[in-house]
Amino acid sequence: MKKILVYIASIVVALVLGGVIGNLCAEIAPLSWLDYAPPLHIDTRDWNWYIADVTFGFQSKFNIAQLILTIVAIFTAPKINSLIGKK
């Protein structure tokens, strides 16, 4: 269970940190490619029923910096797990 929590925590940290790094590098010309994010969205669907209106949709931004840091987090999570287990 601890191993799964370490993986989840490291991936979440990588996604947040990658988003911050990508936004900071957007203004720097040689590093602006780190903020490139292809569009990832599903068009909204609307259902109008007699008692409710239901709308479903999805939109996300996942840039290159987040992808790189997520790959790094997946490979470093076992090392972090072993460091946490040592006393």
Side-chain angles (χ1 to χ4, degrees):
M1 182 66 178
K2 183 178 72 169
K3 183 178 178 181
I4 294 171
L5 290 176
V6 170
Y7 270 99
I8 291 172
S10 63
I11 289 173
V12 167
V13 168
L15 289 174
V16 171
L17 191 60
V20 170
I21 291 172
N23 285 337
L24 291 175
C25 292
E27 302 296 324
I28 303 170
L31 298 175
S32 63
W33 61 273
L34 288 172
D35 193 43
Y36 173 72
L40 176 64
H41 66 277
I42 298 172
D43 293 332
T44 58
R45 300 287 180 230
D46 296 325
W47 288 291
N48 297 323
W49 297 328
Y50 182 71
I51 58 172
D53 292 334
V54 179
T55 303
F56 289 102
F58 177 78
Q59 184 174 2
S60 179
K61 180 184 176 192
F62 193 74
N63 61 26
I64 301 296
Q66 288 172 319
L67 178 67
I68 292 170
L69 286 178
T70 302
I71 293 169
V72 170
I74 289 171
F75 287 112
T76 58
K79 295 179 192 298
I80 294 170
N81 191 22
S82 66
L83 289 176
I84 292 173
K86 290 183 179 178
K87 290 186 179 183

